[in-house]
Amino acid sequence: SDLGVPIVGVGLLYQEGYFKQYLNNDGWQGEIYADNDFYNMPVSPVEDKNGDAVLIELDFPDGVVKAKMWKIDVGRIPLFLLDTNIPENPEKYRNITGSLYGGDHEMRLKQEMLLGIGGLRALHVMDIWPSVFHMNEGHAAFLALENIRTAMEVNGATFDEAFELTSAGSIFTTHTPVPAG
């Protein structure tokens, strides 16, 4: 932000956010999750010109998932966050953004699809078309697939062209190169 680098961030807006750790009387770690009240946090819903909430959609194997867009300004950098805990979704999809690392492998896959595919769609809804993408760990890996699909659909690229474009514009980092990470 201080350097004026033109970047934008995308993430998930977790209802429970990060947990607070504590040690019980036996010395074991426990966690406490507090519900976030987004309307009393420095985050604002993204609205269209009519004042309606901006939603993006994804097709999951068992139905359509909608996510409400929120925005936080981190210095000069916009950070867009996606939230599935909305009335437009059936109950089975509302908890996708319930908690960080919550649930089983299927929930983790849903979160990664939402971040990768939904994140790119959220940027496009805002008419933001980045040429370079940074993916942290595997969390947003579906972004690469959505970027290929978009390049083919919107730009008329062949698969090979879209693959090359996506490869050239993708940066991946891992912070925990161990099996548990």
Side-chain angles (χ1 to χ4, degrees):
S1 177
D2 292 343
L3 296 175
V5 177
I7 62 174
V8 62
V10 177
L12 303 182
L13 187 63
Y14 294 107
Q15 185 65 50
E16 292 182 339
Y18 292 105
F19 58 81
K20 294 181 182 180
Q21 295 177 332
Y22 69 91
L23 296 177
N24 68 17
N25 291 335
D26 296 322
W28 291 98
Q29 175 185 307
E31 299 87 25
I32 298 173
Y33 290 91
D35 273 354
N36 286 319
D37 179 1
F38 304 139
Y39 292 96
N40 286 307
M41 295 172 67
V43 57
S44 303
V46 176
E47 297 176 341
D48 63 17
K49 62 184 177 190
N50 298 321
D52 296 323
V54 174
L55 305 178
I56 56 106
E57 292 185 359
L58 289 94
D59 290 319
F60 273 24
D62 57 348
V64 174
V65 176
K66 296 180 181 184
K68 180 177 179 175
M69 291 178 56
W70 297 78
K71 181 183 175 192
I72 297 175
D73 289 315
V74 183
R76 293 178 202 84
I77 307 301
L79 170 60
F80 295 101
L81 300 168
L82 303 175
D83 173 19
T84 61
N85 188 18
I86 56 174
E88 292 84 354
N89 280 329
E91 192 63 38
K92 66 181 177 179
Y93 295 138
R94 291 185 187 178
N95 66 344
I96 293 173
T97 54
S99 63
L100 177 66
Y101 303 129
D104 55 15
H105 292 295
E106 184 177 339
M107 178 58 70
R108 180 70 178 259
L109 190 59
K110 288 176 181 178
Q111 289 176 339
E112 291 175 357
M113 290 174 67
L114 177 62
L115 180 60
I117 297 168
L120 185 57
R121 291 181 184 178
L123 292 176
H124 291 169
V125 164
M126 300 306 299
D127 201 28
I128 299 171
W129 297 79
S131 56
V132 177
F133 298 91
H134 173 252
M135 293 172 275
N136 178 39
E137 303 279 347
H139 305 303
F142 285 100
L143 165 70
L145 298 175
E146 180 67 4
N147 202 22
I148 290 170
R149 186 197 66 77
T150 301
M152 293 173 66
E153 185 176 296
V154 174
N155 301 327
T158 65
F159 175 80
D160 290 338
E161 292 167 338
F163 181 84
E164 186 174 334
L165 176 73
T166 298
S167 295
S170 296
I171 301 167
F172 175 85
T173 56
T174 184
H175 303 284
T176 50
V178 295

